[in-house]
Coordinates of all heavy atoms in Angstrom, one line a residue:
M1 N 2.1 -16.2 -22.9 CA 1.4 -15.1 -22.2 C 2.3 -13.8 -22.5 O 3.5 -13.8 -22.3 CB 1.3 -15.3 -20.7 CG 0.6 -14.2 -20.0 SD 0.6 -14.5 -18.2 CE -0.5 -16.0 -18.1
P2 N 1.6 -12.7 -22.9 CA 2.4 -11.5 -23.2 C 2.9 -10.9 -21.9 O 2.3 -11.1 -20.8 CB 1.4 -10.6 -23.9 CG 0.1 -11.1 -23.5 CD 0.2 -12.5 -23.3
L3 N 4.0 -10.2 -22.0 CA 4.5 -9.5 -20.8 C 3.6 -8.3 -20.5 O 3.1 -7.6 -21.4 CB 6.0 -9.1 -21.0 CG 6.9 -10.2 -21.2 CD1 8.3 -9.7 -21.6 CD2 7.0 -11.1 -20.0
P4 N 3.5 -8.0 -19.2 CA 2.6 -6.8 -18.8 C 3.2 -5.5 -19.2 O 4.4 -5.3 -19.3 CB 2.5 -6.9 -17.3 CG 3.7 -7.7 -16.9 CD 4.0 -8.7 -18.0
D5 N 2.4 -4.5 -19.5 CA 2.9 -3.2 -19.9 C 3.2 -2.4 -18.6 O 3.0 -2.9 -17.5 CB 1.9 -2.4 -20.7 CG 0.5 -2.1 -20.0 OD1 0.5 -2.2 -18.8 OD2 -0.5 -1.9 -20.7
D6 N 3.6 -1.1 -18.8 CA 4.1 -0.3 -17.6 C 3.0 -0.1 -16.6 O 3.3 -0.2 -15.4 CB 4.6 1.0 -18.1 CG 6.0 0.9 -18.8 OD1 6.5 -0.2 -18.8 OD2 6.4 1.9 -19.4
D7 N 1.8 0.2 -17.0 CA 0.7 0.4 -16.0 C 0.5 -0.9 -15.2 O 0.2 -0.9 -14.0 CB -0.5 0.9 -16.7 CG -0.4 2.3 -17.2 OD1 0.4 3.0 -16.7 OD2 -1.2 2.7 -18.1
A8 N 0.5 -2.0 -16.0 CA 0.2 -3.3 -15.3 C 1.4 -3.6 -14.3 O 1.1 -4.1 -13.2 CB 0.1 -4.4 -16.3
L9 N 2.6 -3.3 -14.7 CA 3.8 -3.5 -13.8 C 3.6 -2.7 -12.5 O 3.9 -3.2 -11.4 CB 5.1 -3.1 -14.5 CG 5.5 -4.1 -15.7 CD1 6.8 -3.5 -16.3 CD2 5.7 -5.5 -15.2
R10 N 3.2 -1.4 -12.7 CA 3.0 -0.6 -11.5 C 1.9 -1.2 -10.6 O 2.1 -1.2 -9.4 CB 2.6 0.8 -12.0 CG 2.6 1.9 -10.9 CD 2.3 3.3 -11.4 NE 3.3 3.7 -12.3 CZ 3.2 3.8 -13.6 NH1 2.0 3.6 -14.2 NH2 4.2 4.2 -14.4
A11 N 0.8 -1.6 -11.2 CA -0.2 -2.2 -10.4 C 0.2 -3.4 -9.7 O -0.1 -3.6 -8.5 CB -1.5 -2.5 -11.3
I12 N 1.0 -4.2 -10.4 CA 1.5 -5.5 -9.8 C 2.4 -5.1 -8.6 O 2.3 -5.7 -7.5 CB 2.3 -6.3 -10.8 CG1 1.3 -6.8 -11.9 CG2 3.0 -7.4 -10.2 CD1 2.0 -7.3 -13.1
A13 N 3.3 -4.2 -8.8 CA 4.3 -3.8 -7.8 C 3.5 -3.4 -6.5 O 3.9 -3.7 -5.4 CB 5.2 -2.7 -8.3
L14 N 2.5 -2.6 -6.7 CA 1.7 -2.1 -5.5 C 0.9 -3.2 -4.9 O 0.8 -3.4 -3.7 CB 0.9 -0.9 -5.9 CG 1.6 0.3 -6.4 CD1 0.7 1.4 -6.9 CD2 2.5 0.9 -5.2
D15 N 0.2 -4.0 -5.8 CA -0.7 -5.1 -5.3 C 0.1 -6.2 -4.5 O -0.4 -6.7 -3.6 CB -1.4 -5.7 -6.4 CG -2.5 -4.8 -7.0 OD1 -2.8 -3.8 -6.4 OD2 -3.0 -5.1 -8.1
T16 N 1.3 -6.5 -4.9 CA 2.0 -7.5 -4.3 C 2.8 -7.1 -3.1 O 3.4 -7.8 -2.3 CB 3.1 -8.1 -5.3 OG1 4.0 -7.1 -5.7 CG2 2.4 -8.8 -6.5
G17 N 2.7 -5.8 -2.8 CA 3.4 -5.2 -1.6 C 4.9 -5.0 -1.9 O 5.6 -4.7 -1.0
L18 N 5.3 -5.2 -3.1 CA 6.7 -5.1 -3.5 C 7.2 -3.7 -3.1 O 8.3 -3.5 -2.7 CB 6.9 -5.3 -5.0 CG 8.3 -5.5 -5.5 CD1 8.8 -6.8 -4.9 CD2 8.3 -5.5 -7.0
L19 N 6.4 -2.7 -3.3 CA 6.8 -1.3 -3.0 C 5.9 -0.7 -1.9 O 5.9 0.5 -1.7 CB 6.7 -0.4 -4.2 CG 7.5 -0.9 -5.5 CD1 7.2 0.0 -6.7 CD2 8.9 -0.9 -5.1
G20 N 5.3 -1.6 -1.1 CA 4.4 -1.1 -0.1 C 5.1 -1.0 1.3 O 6.3 -1.2 1.4
P21 N 4.3 -0.7 2.3 CA 4.9 -0.4 3.6 C 5.5 -1.7 4.3 O 6.3 -1.5 5.2 CB 3.7 0.0 4.5 CG 2.5 -0.4 3.7 CD 2.9 -0.5 2.3
D22 N 5.2 -2.9 3.8 CA 5.8 -4.1 4.4 C 7.1 -4.5 3.7 O 7.8 -5.4 4.2 CB 4.8 -5.2 4.3 CG 3.5 -5.0 5.1 OD1 3.7 -4.3 6.1 OD2 2.5 -5.5 4.8
A23 N 7.4 -3.8 2.6 CA 8.7 -4.2 1.9 C 9.8 -3.7 2.8 O 9.9 -2.5 3.2 CB 8.7 -3.6 0.5
I24 N 10.8 -4.5 3.0 CA 12.0 -4.1 3.8 C 13.3 -4.1 2.9 O 14.3 -3.6 3.3 CB 12.2 -5.0 5.0 CG1 12.4 -6.4 4.7 CG2 11.1 -4.8 6.0 CD1 12.8 -7.3 5.8
G25 N 13.2 -4.8 1.7 CA 14.3 -4.8 0.8 C 13.9 -4.7 -0.6 O 12.8 -5.3 -0.9
L26 N 14.7 -4.0 -1.4 CA 14.3 -3.9 -2.8 C 15.6 -3.8 -3.6 O 16.5 -3.0 -3.2 CB 13.5 -2.7 -3.1 CG 13.1 -2.4 -4.5 CD1 12.2 -3.4 -5.1 CD2 12.5 -1.0 -4.7
T27 N 15.8 -4.5 -4.6 CA 17.0 -4.5 -5.5 C 16.6 -4.1 -6.9 O 15.6 -4.6 -7.5 CB 17.7 -5.8 -5.5 OG1 18.1 -6.1 -4.2 CG2 18.9 -5.8 -6.5
L28 N 17.3 -3.1 -7.4 CA 17.1 -2.6 -8.8 C 18.4 -2.6 -9.5 O 19.2 -1.7 -9.2 CB 16.4 -1.2 -8.9 CG 15.0 -1.1 -8.4 CD1 14.5 0.3 -8.4 CD2 14.1 -1.9 -9.4
G29 N 18.7 -3.6 -10.3 CA 20.0 -3.8 -10.9 C 21.1 -3.9 -9.8 O 21.0 -4.9 -9.0
H30 N 22.0 -3.0 -9.7 CA 23.1 -3.1 -8.7 C 22.8 -2.3 -7.4 O 23.6 -2.2 -6.5 CB 24.4 -2.6 -9.3 CG 25.0 -3.6 -10.3 ND1 25.0 -3.2 -11.7 CD2 25.4 -4.8 -10.3 CE1 25.5 -4.2 -12.4 NE2 25.8 -5.2 -11.5
A31 N 21.6 -1.7 -7.4 CA 21.2 -0.9 -6.2 C 20.3 -1.7 -5.3 O 19.3 -2.2 -5.7 CB 20.4 0.3 -6.7
I32 N 20.8 -1.8 -4.1 CA 20.0 -2.5 -3.0 C 19.6 -1.5 -2.0 O 20.4 -0.8 -1.4 CB 20.9 -3.6 -2.3 CG1 21.4 -4.7 -3.4 CG2 20.2 -4.3 -1.2 CD1 22.4 -5.7 -2.8
F33 N 18.3 -1.5 -1.8 CA 17.7 -0.6 -0.8 C 17.1 -1.5 0.4 O 16.4 -2.4 0.2 CB 16.5 0.2 -1.4 CG 16.9 1.0 -2.6 CD1 16.8 0.4 -3.9 CD2 17.3 2.3 -2.5 CE1 17.2 1.1 -5.0 CE2 17.7 3.0 -3.6 CZ 17.6 2.4 -4.9
I34 N 17.5 -1.1 1.6 CA 17.1 -1.8 2.8 C 16.6 -0.8 3.8 O 17.2 0.2 4.1 CB 18.2 -2.7 3.4 CG1 18.6 -3.8 2.4 CG2 17.8 -3.3 4.7 CD1 19.8 -4.7 2.9
V35 N 15.4 -1.0 4.3 CA 14.8 -0.1 5.2 C 15.7 -0.1 6.5 O 16.1 -1.1 7.0 CB 13.3 -0.6 5.6 CG1 12.8 0.3 6.7 CG2 12.5 -0.5 4.4
E36 N 15.9 1.1 7.0 CA 16.8 1.3 8.2 C 16.2 0.4 9.3 O 15.0 0.4 9.6 CB 16.8 2.8 8.6 CG 17.8 3.1 9.7 CD 17.9 4.6 9.9 OE1 17.2 5.3 9.2 OE2 18.8 4.9 10.7
G37 N 17.1 -0.3 10.0 CA 16.7 -1.1 11.1 C 16.5 -2.6 10.7 O 16.3 -3.4 11.5
H38 N 16.5 -2.8 9.4 CA 16.2 -4.2 8.9 C 17.5 -4.8 8.3 O 17.4 -5.8 7.6 CB 15.1 -4.2 7.9 CG 13.8 -3.9 8.6 ND1 13.0 -4.9 9.2 CD2 13.1 -2.8 8.7 CE1 11.9 -4.3 9.7 NE2 11.9 -3.0 9.4
E39 N 18.6 -4.2 8.4 CA 19.9 -4.7 7.8 C 20.2 -6.0 8.5 O 20.2 -6.1 9.7 CB 21.0 -3.7 8.1 CG 20.8 -2.3 7.6 CD 20.1 -1.4 8.7 OE1 19.6 -1.9 9.7 OE2 20.1 -0.2 8.5
S40 N 20.5 -7.0 7.7 CA 20.9 -8.3 8.2 C 21.7 -9.0 7.1 O 21.5 -8.7 5.9 CB 19.7 -9.2 8.6 OG 19.0 -9.6 7.5
R41 N 22.6 -9.9 7.5 CA 23.3 -10.7 6.6 C 22.4 -11.5 5.7 O 22.6 -11.6 4.5 CB 24.2 -11.7 7.4 CG 25.1 -12.5 6.6 CD 26.0 -13.4 7.5 NE 26.8 -14.4 6.8 CZ 28.0 -14.2 6.4 NH1 28.6 -13.1 6.6 NH2 28.6 -15.2 5.8
Q42 N 21.3 -12.1 6.3 CA 20.3 -12.9 5.5 C 19.7 -12.0 4.4 O 19.6 -12.5 3.3 CB 19.3 -13.4 6.5 CG 18.2 -14.3 5.8 CD 17.2 -14.9 6.7 OE1 17.1 -14.5 7.9 NE2 16.4 -15.7 6.2
L43 N 19.2 -10.8 4.8 CA 18.5 -10.0 3.8 C 19.5 -9.5 2.7 O 19.2 -9.5 1.5 CB 17.8 -8.8 4.5 CG 17.1 -7.9 3.5 CD1 16.0 -8.6 2.8 CD2 16.4 -6.7 4.3
L44 N 20.7 -9.1 3.2 CA 21.7 -8.6 2.2 C 22.1 -9.7 1.2 O 22.2 -9.5 0.0 CB 22.9 -8.1 2.9 CG 23.9 -7.3 2.0 CD1 23.3 -6.2 1.3 CD2 25.1 -6.8 2.8
T45 N 22.3 -10.9 1.7 CA 22.7 -12.0 0.8 C 21.5 -12.4 -0.2 O 21.7 -12.7 -1.3 CB 23.2 -13.3 1.5 OG1 22.2 -13.7 2.5 CG2 24.5 -13.0 2.2
H46 N 20.3 -12.2 0.3 CA 19.1 -12.4 -0.5 C 19.1 -11.4 -1.6 O 18.9 -11.8 -2.8 CB 17.9 -12.3 0.4 CG 16.6 -12.5 -0.4 ND1 15.8 -13.6 -0.3 CD2 15.9 -11.6 -1.2 CE1 14.7 -13.4 -1.0 NE2 14.7 -12.2 -1.6
E47 N 19.3 -10.2 -1.3 CA 19.2 -9.1 -2.3 C 20.4 -9.2 -3.3 O 20.3 -8.9 -4.4 CB 19.2 -7.7 -1.6 CG 18.0 -7.5 -0.7 CD 16.6 -7.7 -1.3 OE1 16.5 -7.4 -2.6 OE2 15.7 -8.1 -0.6
C48 N 21.6 -9.6 -2.8 CA 22.7 -9.8 -3.7 C 22.4 -10.9 -4.7 O 22.9 -10.8 -5.8 CB 24.0 -10.2 -2.9 SG 24.8 -8.8 -2.1
R49 N 21.7 -11.9 -4.3 CA 21.3 -12.9 -5.3 C 20.4 -12.3 -6.4 O 20.5 -12.7 -7.6 CB 20.6 -14.1 -4.6 CG 20.3 -15.2 -5.6 CD 21.5 -15.8 -6.2 NE 21.2 -16.9 -7.1 CZ 22.1 -17.6 -7.8 NH1 23.4 -17.4 -7.7 NH2 21.7 -18.6 -8.6
H50 N 19.6 -11.3 -6.0 CA 18.7 -10.6 -7.0 C 19.7 -9.8 -7.9 O 19.4 -9.7 -9.1 CB 17.7 -9.7 -6.3 CG 16.5 -10.5 -5.8 ND1 15.9 -11.4 -6.4 CD2 15.9 -10.3 -4.6 CE1 14.9 -11.9 -5.7 NE2 14.9 -11.2 -4.5
V51 N 20.7 -9.3 -7.4 CA 21.7 -8.6 -8.3 C 22.2 -9.6 -9.3 O 22.3 -9.3 -10.5 CB 22.9 -8.0 -7.5 CG1 24.0 -7.5 -8.4 CG2 22.4 -6.8 -6.6
H52 N 22.6 -10.8 -8.9 CA 23.1 -11.8 -9.8 C 22.0 -12.1 -10.9 O 22.3 -12.3 -12.0 CB 23.4 -13.1 -9.0 CG 23.7 -14.2 -9.9 ND1 24.9 -14.4 -10.5 CD2 22.9 -15.3 -10.2 CE1 24.8 -15.6 -11.2 NE2 23.7 -16.1 -11.1
Q53 N 20.8 -12.2 -10.4 CA 19.7 -12.5 -11.4 C 19.5 -11.3 -12.4 O 19.3 -11.6 -13.6 CB 18.3 -12.6 -10.6 CG 18.3 -13.9 -9.7 CD 17.2 -13.9 -8.7 OE1 16.5 -12.9 -8.5 NE2 17.0 -15.0 -8.0
Y54 N 19.7 -10.1 -11.9 CA 19.6 -9.0 -12.9 C 20.8 -9.1 -13.9 O 20.6 -8.9 -15.1 CB 19.8 -7.6 -12.1 CG 18.5 -7.0 -11.6 CD1 18.2 -7.2 -10.3 CD2 17.6 -6.3 -12.4 CE1 17.0 -6.6 -9.7 CE2 16.5 -5.7 -11.9 CZ 16.2 -5.9 -10.6 OH 15.0 -5.3 -10.1
E55 N 22.0 -9.4 -13.4 CA 23.1 -9.5 -14.3 C 22.9 -10.6 -15.3 O 23.3 -10.5 -16.5 CB 24.4 -9.7 -13.5 CG 24.8 -8.5 -12.7 CD 26.1 -8.7 -11.9 OE1 26.5 -9.9 -11.6 OE2 26.8 -7.7 -11.6
T56 N 22.3 -11.7 -14.8 CA 22.1 -12.8 -15.7 C 21.0 -12.5 -16.8 O 21.2 -12.8 -18.0 CB 21.6 -14.1 -15.0 OG1 22.6 -14.4 -14.0 CG2 21.3 -15.2 -15.9
A57 N 20.0 -11.7 -16.4 CA 19.0 -11.2 -17.3 C 19.6 -10.2 -18.3 O 19.1 -10.1 -19.5 CB 17.8 -10.6 -16.6
G58 N 20.6 -9.5 -17.9 CA 21.2 -8.5 -18.8 C 20.9 -7.1 -18.5 O 21.6 -6.2 -18.9
S59 N 19.7 -6.8 -17.9 CA 19.4 -5.4 -17.7 C 18.1 -5.4 -16.7 O 17.5 -6.4 -16.6 CB 19.0 -4.7 -18.9 OG 17.8 -5.2 -19.5
I60 N 17.9 -4.2 -16.1 CA 16.7 -4.1 -15.3 C 15.5 -4.3 -16.2 O 14.5 -5.0 -15.8 CB 16.6 -2.7 -14.7 CG1 17.8 -2.6 -13.6 CG2 15.3 -2.4 -14.0 CD1 17.9 -1.2 -13.1
A61 N 15.5 -3.8 -17.4 CA 14.4 -3.8 -18.3 C 14.1 -5.3 -18.7 O 12.9 -5.6 -19.0 CB 14.6 -3.0 -19.5
A62 N 15.1 -6.1 -18.7 CA 14.9 -7.5 -19.1 C 14.4 -8.3 -17.9 O 13.7 -9.3 -18.1 CB 16.2 -8.1 -19.7
F63 N 14.9 -7.9 -16.7 CA 14.6 -8.7 -15.5 C 13.2 -8.5 -15.0 O 12.4 -9.4 -14.7 CB 15.6 -8.4 -14.4 CG 15.3 -9.0 -13.1 CD1 15.6 -10.3 -12.8 CD2 14.6 -8.3 -12.1 CE1 15.4 -10.9 -11.6 CE2 14.3 -8.9 -10.9 CZ 14.7 -10.2 -10.6
L64 N 12.8 -7.2 -14.9 CA 11.5 -6.9 -14.2 C 10.3 -7.5 -14.8 O 9.4 -8.0 -14.0 CB 11.4 -5.4 -14.0 CG 12.2 -4.7 -12.9 CD1 11.9 -3.2 -12.8 CD2 11.9 -5.4 -11.5
P65 N 10.1 -7.5 -16.1 CA 8.9 -8.1 -16.6 C 8.8 -9.5 -16.3 O 7.7 -10.1 -16.0 CB 9.0 -7.8 -18.1 CG 9.9 -6.6 -18.3 CD 10.9 -6.8 -17.1
V66 N 9.9 -10.2 -16.4 CA 9.9 -11.7 -16.1 C 9.6 -11.9 -14.6 O 8.8 -12.8 -14.2 CB 11.2 -12.3 -16.4 CG1 11.2 -13.8 -16.1 CG2 11.5 -12.1 -17.9
Y67 N 10.2 -11.1 -13.7 CA 10.0 -11.2 -12.3 C 8.5 -10.9 -12.0 O 7.9 -11.7 -11.2 CB 10.9 -10.2 -11.6 CG 10.7 -10.2 -10.1 CD1 11.0 -11.3 -9.3 CD2 10.2 -9.0 -9.4 CE1 10.9 -11.3 -7.9 CE2 10.1 -9.0 -8.1 CZ 10.4 -10.1 -7.3 OH 10.2 -10.1 -5.9
F68 N 8.0 -9.8 -12.5 CA 6.5 -9.5 -12.2 C 5.6 -10.6 -12.8 O 4.6 -10.9 -12.2 CB 6.2 -8.1 -12.8 CG 6.8 -7.0 -12.0 CD1 7.3 -5.9 -12.6 CD2 6.8 -7.0 -10.6 CE1 7.8 -4.8 -11.9 CE2 7.3 -6.0 -9.9 CZ 7.8 -4.9 -10.5
Q69 N 6.0 -11.1 -13.9 CA 5.2 -12.2 -14.5 C 5.1 -13.4 -13.5 O 4.1 -14.0 -13.3 CB 5.7 -12.7 -15.8 CG 4.8 -13.6 -16.6 CD 3.6 -12.9 -17.1 OE1 3.8 -11.9 -17.9 NE2 2.4 -13.3 -16.7
Q70 N 6.3 -13.7 -12.9 CA 6.3 -14.7 -11.9 C 5.4 -14.4 -10.7 O 4.7 -15.3 -10.2 CB 7.7 -14.9 -11.4 CG 8.7 -15.5 -12.4 CD 10.1 -15.6 -11.9 OE1 10.4 -15.3 -10.7 NE2 11.0 -16.1 -12.7
L71 N 5.4 -13.1 -10.2 CA 4.6 -12.7 -9.1 C 3.1 -12.9 -9.4 O 2.4 -13.4 -8.6 CB 4.9 -11.3 -8.7 CG 6.3 -10.9 -8.2 CD1 6.4 -9.4 -7.9 CD2 6.7 -11.8 -7.0
V72 N 2.7 -12.6 -10.6 CA 1.3 -12.7 -11.0 C 0.9 -14.1 -11.1 O -0.2 -14.5 -10.7 CB 1.1 -11.9 -12.3 CG1 -0.3 -12.2 -12.9 CG2 1.3 -10.4 -12.2
T73 N 1.8 -14.9 -11.6 CA 1.5 -16.3 -11.9 C 1.5 -17.2 -10.7 O 0.5 -18.0 -10.5 CB 2.5 -16.9 -12.9 OG1 2.6 -16.1 -14.1 CG2 2.1 -18.3 -13.4
V74 N 2.5 -17.1 -9.9 CA 2.6 -18.0 -8.7 C 2.6 -17.3 -7.4 O 2.7 -18.0 -6.3 CB 3.8 -19.0 -8.9 CG1 3.6 -19.9 -10.1 CG2 5.1 -18.3 -8.9
G75 N 2.7 -16.0 -7.4 CA 2.8 -15.3 -6.1 C 4.2 -15.0 -5.7 O 5.2 -15.7 -6.2
Y76 N 4.4 -14.1 -4.7 CA 5.7 -13.7 -4.3 C 6.5 -14.9 -3.7 O 7.7 -15.1 -4.1 CB 5.6 -12.6 -3.2 CG 6.9 -12.2 -2.6 CD1 7.7 -11.2 -3.2 CD2 7.3 -12.7 -1.4 CE1 8.9 -10.8 -2.6 CE2 8.5 -12.3 -0.8 CZ 9.3 -11.4 -1.4 OH 10.5 -11.0 -0.9
Y77 N 6.0 -15.7 -2.8 CA 6.7 -16.7 -2.1 C 7.3 -17.8 -3.1 O 8.4 -18.2 -3.0 CB 5.9 -17.3 -1.0 CG 6.7 -18.3 -0.2 CD1 7.5 -17.8 0.9 CD2 6.7 -19.7 -0.4 CE1 8.3 -18.6 1.6 CE2 7.5 -20.5 0.4 CZ 8.3 -20.0 1.4 OH 9.0 -20.8 2.2
D78 N 6.4 -18.2 -4.0 CA 6.8 -19.2 -5.0 C 7.4 -18.8 -6.3 O 7.7 -19.6 -7.1 CB 5.5 -20.1 -5.3 CG 5.0 -20.9 -4.1 OD1 5.9 -21.3 -3.3 OD2 3.8 -20.9 -3.9
A79 N 7.5 -17.5 -6.4 CA 8.2 -16.9 -7.6 C 9.6 -17.5 -7.7 O 10.4 -17.5 -6.8 CB 8.3 -15.4 -7.6
P80 N 10.0 -18.1 -8.9 CA 11.3 -18.8 -9.0 C 12.4 -17.9 -8.6 O 13.4 -18.4 -8.0 CB 11.3 -19.2 -10.5 CG 9.9 -19.4 -10.9 CD 9.1 -18.4 -10.1
F81 N 12.4 -16.6 -8.9 CA 13.5 -15.7 -8.5 C 13.6 -15.6 -7.0 O 14.7 -15.4 -6.5 CB 13.3 -14.3 -9.2 CG 13.8 -14.2 -10.6 CD1 13.1 -13.4 -11.5 CD2 14.9 -14.9 -11.1 CE1 13.5 -13.4 -12.9 CE2 15.3 -14.9 -12.4 CZ 14.6 -14.1 -13.3
E82 N 12.4 -15.6 -6.3 CA 12.4 -15.5 -4.9 C 12.9 -16.8 -4.2 O 13.6 -16.8 -3.3 CB 11.0 -15.1 -4.4 CG 10.6 -13.7 -4.6 CD 11.6 -12.7 -4.0 OE1 12.2 -13.0 -3.0 OE2 11.8 -11.6 -4.7
V83 N 12.4 -17.9 -4.8 CA 12.9 -19.2 -4.3 C 14.4 -19.3 -4.4 O 15.1 -19.7 -3.5 CB 12.2 -20.4 -5.1 CG1 12.8 -21.7 -4.7 CG2 10.7 -20.4 -4.9
D84 N 14.9 -18.9 -5.6 CA 16.4 -18.9 -5.8 C 17.1 -18.0 -4.8 O 18.1 -18.4 -4.3 CB 16.7 -18.5 -7.3 CG 18.2 -18.5 -7.6 OD1 18.8 -19.5 -7.5 OD2 18.7 -17.4 -7.9
A85 N 16.6 -16.8 -4.6 CA 17.2 -15.9 -3.7 C 17.2 -16.4 -2.3 O 18.2 -16.3 -1.6 CB 16.5 -14.5 -3.8
R86 N 16.1 -17.1 -1.8 CA 16.1 -17.6 -0.5 C 17.1 -18.8 -0.4 O 17.7 -18.9 0.7 CB 14.7 -18.2 -0.2 CG 13.7 -17.1 0.2 CD 12.5 -17.7 0.9 NE 11.8 -18.7 0.2 CZ 10.9 -18.5 -0.8 NH1 10.5 -17.3 -1.1 NH2 10.3 -19.5 -1.4
E87 N 17.3 -19.5 -1.5 CA 18.3 -20.6 -1.4 C 19.7 -20.1 -1.3 O 20.6 -20.9 -0.9 CB 18.1 -21.5 -2.7 CG 16.8 -22.3 -2.7 CD 16.6 -23.1 -4.0 OE1 17.4 -22.9 -4.9 OE2 15.7 -23.9 -4.0
H88 N 19.9 -18.9 -1.6 CA 21.3 -18.3 -1.5 C 21.4 -17.3 -0.3 O 22.4 -16.6 -0.3 CB 21.6 -17.6 -2.8 CG 21.9 -18.6 -4.0 ND1 20.8 -19.1 -4.7 CD2 23.0 -19.1 -4.4 CE1 21.4 -20.0 -5.6 NE2 22.7 -20.0 -5.5
E89 N 20.5 -17.3 0.6 CA 20.6 -16.5 1.8 C 21.6 -17.2 2.7 O 21.8 -18.4 2.8 CB 19.3 -16.4 2.5 CG 18.2 -15.6 1.8 CD 16.9 -15.7 2.5 OE1 16.8 -16.3 3.6 OE2 16.0 -15.0 2.0
I90 N 22.4 -16.4 3.4 CA 23.3 -16.8 4.4 C 22.9 -16.2 5.7 O 22.9 -14.9 5.8 CB 24.8 -16.5 4.0 CG1 25.2 -17.2 2.7 CG2 25.7 -16.9 5.2 CD1 26.5 -16.7 2.2
D91 N 22.7 -17.0 6.7 CA 22.3 -16.4 8.0 C 23.4 -15.8 8.8 O 24.6 -16.2 8.6 CB 21.7 -17.5 8.9 CG 20.3 -18.0 8.4 OD1 19.6 -17.2 7.8 OD2 20.1 -19.2 8.5
Ligands
ZN101 ZN1 13.6 -11.3 -2.9

């Protein structure tokens, strides 16, 4: 399956709620954004695992298309990067 183009990525990000009002955490490379009032050890360790995933992928440009492909294919909860991040959360 070909990787989605920029317009498709934008649509996916909005459709999945990744950048919507319900999103409380977002990681882009080494930058972790957490909505004020939602700071927690669990969320921060989850987002730090995404940093590790970005580093393993080698770049934001290498990570995001694969991540979005996972979201489209199996949905947010079952996306392998999300499953992995949840497994590395510390309460
Ligand atoms: Zn996540």
Side-chain angles (χ1 to χ4, degrees):
M1 182 184 292
L3 296 174
D5 64 20
D6 288 350
D7 287 341
L9 292 177
R10 186 175 300 108
I12 292 164
L14 295 173
D15 288 350
T16 57
L18 194 67
L19 302 176
D22 294 333
I24 59 171
L26 175 68
T27 297
L28 289 172
H30 293 110
I32 297 174
F33 303 90
I34 295 175
V35 173
E36 189 170 4
H38 292 274
E39 306 89 347
S40 71
R41 183 179 171 93
Q42 181 180 9
L43 181 57
L44 188 58
T45 53
H46 178 105
E47 299 303 331
C48 281
R49 184 62 180 179
H50 285 314
V51 171
H52 171 79
Q53 293 165 351
Y54 275 101
E55 289 182 338
T56 301
S59 68
I60 294 174
F63 174 84
L64 281 182
V66 177
Y67 178 65
F68 286 141
Q69 191 71 59
Q70 293 179 0
L71 296 180
V72 171
T73 305
V74 297
Y76 176 82
Y77 188 81
D78 292 321
F81 281 144
E82 288 302 330
V83 172
D84 178 64
R86 282 198 304 276
E87 288 174 353
H88 288 82
E89 291 175 358
I90 299 172
D91 291 326

